[in-house]
Amino acid sequence: MHNSLILSGLAGILLSGTALAADLPRRAEAPVFTPIPVFAWTGAYFGPNGGYAYTESDTLRTTGIGALQANVTNDLRRANVALPKDGFSFGGQAGYNFQLTPGTGFVFGFETDAQYLDLARSRTETIFRPAINPNVLRNVYAADLDFLGTVRGRVGYAFDRVLVYGTGGFAYGTTTLAAVFRTGTPVTYAGARSGLETGYAYGGGIEYAIPANSFLDLTGSLQMTVKAEYLRYDLGSRTVLIRSTGGPGVGYNIESRTEGALARVGLNFGFGTY
């Protein structure tokens, strides 16, 4: 009898303890920490670009060989002819970036690009000085830079998804310079030079990395950036002999310099950890 009472009492105590434990508040689970992804510019990229190109050295300078310098002095052949050129540019680029620390920090890289330039221009000078020459003189000048390529280094500083950078390196392009001088109707002097010229280019820009899955992200798989850039080029100077059609070694020398700038925008599509 006593044992039954003791067992019944113990069972009641256990049941009461279980009920009380069920009423106690449960310990909250520790929150799971999810680190915010840090953007990194490291990786390879490629993309198109387009913009506006213009020349900065626009003057063709003419000197006569021997006695023909008198014609330049008397303004029968212009000593200086301005031939400004501007137009659109379109091309593409590819390169690689390396960022020292993800997020904010220095970014180093290299880039190569190539573009078509709409910089073909010509000019005709009509000169009539009957006191010196009874003929109407027509001097036609033409110049062109239709292709420009560069291989450049890039150094910049990233503020997360915004990269500000400077750039500089090697430049090359195909240039053309030609002139035809007429005395009356016949062509009396003519000459041309066309070929690959080399020099340097430098500039700077700003680039923004578009967040993945935003409405501006066109690919969904490649990291996309948009940039605005200013690039100045200088391919040096050259001299073209405008030779007499009546005999070798007689004529005029025309000197020109190929330099100018590009203001352009572009898209880049990145790979790797970019």
Side-chain angles (χ1 to χ4, degrees), residues 2 5 11 17 32 59 62 70 86-87 91 104 108 175 226 231 250:
H2 292 290
L5 292 173
V32 178
T59 301
T62 302
D86 67 325
T104 297
F108 303 89
T175 66
V226 59
L231 196 66
V250 179

Side-chain angles (χ1 to χ4, degrees), residues 218-240:
L218 303 179
T219 66
S221 58
L222 300 177
Q223 174 60 58
M224 191 170 76
T225 69
V226 59
K227 71 174 183 177
E229 184 177 70
Y230 172 84
L231 196 66
R232 188 180 182 280
Y233 62 86
D234 189 336
L235 302 184
S237 60
R238 62 211 43 83
T239 300
V240 176

Side-chain angles (χ1 to χ4, degrees), residues 13 19 51 93 105 111-112 120 161 185 193 196 216 226 234-236 248 269:
I13 292 171
Q93 69 278 331
E111 182 174 284
T112 181
R161 291 182 173 272
T185 302
R193 173 176 173 171
L196 184 69
L216 295 175
V226 59
D234 189 336
L235 302 184
F269 302 97

Side-chain angles (χ1 to χ4, degrees), residues 87-252:
F88 68 88
S89 71
F90 179 77
Q93 69 278 331
Y96 188 89
N97 289 322
F98 175 75
Q99 187 170 2
L100 295 181
T101 57
T104 297
F106 285 99
V107 177
F108 303 89
F110 67 90
E111 182 174 284
T112 181
D113 66 348
Q115 47 271 311
Y116 167 79
L117 305 178
D118 177 33
L119 294 181
R121 295 294 182 272
S122 63
R123 176 172 177 172
T124 300
E125 293 279 333
T126 301
I127 302 170
F128 182 51
R129 298 184 180 279
I132 303 174
N133 191 312
N135 297 298
V136 175
L137 305 180
R138 289 184 175 85
N139 308 325
V140 181
Y141 306 86
D144 186 19
L145 172 63
D146 62 357
F147 170 81
L148 179 70
T150 71
V151 180
R152 296 170 283 107
R154 297 208 312 172
V155 179
Y157 196 85
F159 302 90
D160 192 28
R161 291 182 173 272
V162 177
L163 173 65
V164 180
Y165 64 90
T167 182
F170 175 72
Y172 58 99
T174 54
T175 66
T176 299
L177 175 62
V180 174
F181 295 167
R182 294 179 180 271
T183 302
T185 302
V187 174
T188 50
Y189 299 91
R193 173 176 173 171
S194 181
L196 184 69
E197 306 291 346
T198 60
Y200 61 89
Y202 63 89
I206 184 170
E207 192 166 357
Y208 173 69
I210 297 172
N213 300 321
S214 74
F215 74 97
L216 295 175
D217 185 7
L218 303 179
T219 66
S221 58
L222 300 177
Q223 174 60 58
M224 191 170 76
T225 69
V226 59
K227 71 174 183 177
E229 184 177 70
Y230 172 84
L231 196 66
R232 188 180 182 280
Y233 62 86
D234 189 336
L235 302 184
S237 60
R238 62 211 43 83
T239 300
V240 176
L241 174 62
I242 310 303
R243 190 186 304 274
S244 170
T245 58
V250 179
Y252 300 85

